[in-house]
Amino acid sequence: MTVVALVDVTAGPEVGFLPLLSLGPAFASLVGGMRRTALIGLLALVLCFGLASYDGLLGTTPGYTALLSVAGVSAAGLAAAAIRQRREAELANMRSIAEVAQRVLLRPVPRAAGHLRIAVSYTSAVAEARIGGDLYEVVNSPSGVRVIVGDVQGKGLEAVETAAVVLAAFREAAYDEPDLAAVSARLERSVNRHMTQERFVTAVLAETHEDRSVTLLNHGHPSPLVVRADGTAHLAEPPETAPPLGMGLDLKPPEPYGLSLAPGDQMLLYTDGVTEARDPDDRFYPLVRRAFLLRETNPDIGLESLCRDLVTHVGGPLQDDAAMLLLRYREG
């Protein structure tokens, strides 16, 4: 508005710059509230009236046009600011609800559980969402620390609902059942009972013990990554491929298999949003080759470095949810 006023005083009334004073309230409605928009609109009207008087345009058609333009845009700006503030309030409420849902569905994982140090990372593919179809949980049961990382087929609210069913069943079964096979069977029954349409869940279950032995059970999920203390890394693949949870087929359940973690070793459980992330040249993320990023004293820092490297590899927002859970035995 200052620039318009200076140009009008310098160039004279023949140029017809006065209606451009309405840009002030127009821009104010984009970034400010109703009070600020009203004040700037009033200032624009006063400035327009003063300049019209200075130019001798009061009582003429150009003068009336300028005043009406500023008044009309100011009124429209007030309406736009009111609508924007209402929508921002609604979005804030939705984000609050999403945060509550996140705390219920994906509860914060403890940094330490029994004999383990744990770090977790979760990135939703939906820009405004905090939760999606990926799931994880850690339960300190009488049989050892039990962990699940899974991925629901599909996206959206239906995937979130299915994830909630799986997590609720795991939280109960992991504490009650004597072994992972029984936990798996209970998850299978729960998923088949609650899901009303064709939907499945890939998942990997792990049970760690104080002697550094780990039992794994894989329902069609990407194999965990084992990073040894010497820097070598390999995938802990199951002996046989097993179907995901919820297929509704009378198939042979997955067989538990085991491994041992020596001092300094660690294990990463993740979803396919990590390994299937592609760069601009359509190349998958090389997780095994990037495992050296996890060799940090603090597991949270190592996992954060890996997450940043994943986003750098993609060169933009992830196209799928990505969850990572890093397990490391505590010293001593």
Side-chain angles (χ1 to χ4, degrees), residues 153 187-189 191-193 195 197-202 219-220 242-252:
Q153 175 258 335
L187 291 179
E188 185 72 53
R189 291 194 300 270
V191 170
N192 289 327
R193 181 170 62 251
M195 291 197 304
Q197 56 182 327
E198 186 176 348
R199 187 176 296 276
F200 60 84
V201 182
T202 67
H219 282 275
L245 295 165
M247 295 296 290
L249 303 175
D250 188 16
L251 299 176
K252 181 181 178 181

Side-chain angles (χ1 to χ4, degrees), residues 62-120:
Y64 286 133
T65 301
L67 288 169
L68 287 175
S69 297
V70 174
V73 173
S74 298
L78 280 172
I83 294 173
R84 178 177 57 80
Q85 285 186 311
R86 184 170 66 249
R87 289 181 177 175
E88 288 177 350
E90 292 174 354
L91 181 59
N93 289 334
M94 292 177 64
R95 285 176 174 171
S96 298
I97 294 172
E99 290 175 357
V100 173
Q102 182 190 33
R103 288 195 294 269
V104 173
L105 181 59
L106 296 178
R107 299 182 301 195
V109 170
R111 294 181 180 271
H115 40 270
L116 292 179
R117 294 183 65 187
I118 302 171
V120 64

Side-chain angles (χ1 to χ4, degrees), residues 225-241:
L225 174 69
V226 178
V227 184
R228 299 297 182 182
D230 60 2
T232 60
H234 65 89
L235 297 177
E237 298 181 348
E240 295 182 5
T241 303

Side-chain angles (χ1 to χ4, degrees), residues 233-316:
H234 65 89
L235 297 177
E237 298 181 348
E240 295 182 5
T241 303
L245 295 165
M247 295 296 290
L249 303 175
D250 188 16
L251 299 176
K252 181 181 178 181
E255 291 291 334
Y257 62 105
L259 57 90
S260 296
L261 296 179
D265 296 348
Q266 52 192 331
M267 184 171 65
L268 179 70
L269 288 77
Y270 55 92
T271 59
D272 60 7
V274 177
T275 51
E276 295 182 2
R278 301 171 185 258
D279 65 5
D281 296 326
D282 209 32
R283 293 173 298 189
F284 291 112
Y285 182 69
L287 178 61
V288 177
R289 294 204 305 269
R290 309 302 289 174
F292 68 90
L293 294 171
L294 298 174
R295 297 179 63 189
E296 292 279 351
T297 304
N298 188 324
D300 292 291
I301 296 177
L303 193 57
E304 183 180 350
S305 299
L306 186 66
C307 185
R308 285 199 305 267
D309 188 68
L310 175 65
V311 174
T312 301
H313 173 83
V314 175

Side-chain angles (χ1 to χ4, degrees), residues 150-215:
D151 187 2
V152 179
Q153 175 258 335
K155 296 182 177 65
L157 294 178
E158 293 180 350
V160 175
E161 182 180 0
T162 303
V165 170
V166 175
L167 286 174
F170 177 78
R171 286 163 182 160
E172 292 296 323
Y175 195 83
D176 295 339
E177 300 297 341
D179 53 46
L180 281 187
V183 175
S184 170
R186 191 157 162 183
L187 291 179
E188 185 72 53
R189 291 194 300 270
S190 180
V191 170
N192 289 327
R193 181 170 62 251
H194 286 90
M195 291 197 304
T196 58
Q197 56 182 327
E198 186 176 348
R199 187 176 296 276
F200 60 84
V201 182
T202 67
V204 59
L205 284 70
E207 181 180 280
T208 65
H209 310 95
E210 293 185 2
D211 61 357
R212 296 183 177 270
S213 64
V214 181
T215 303

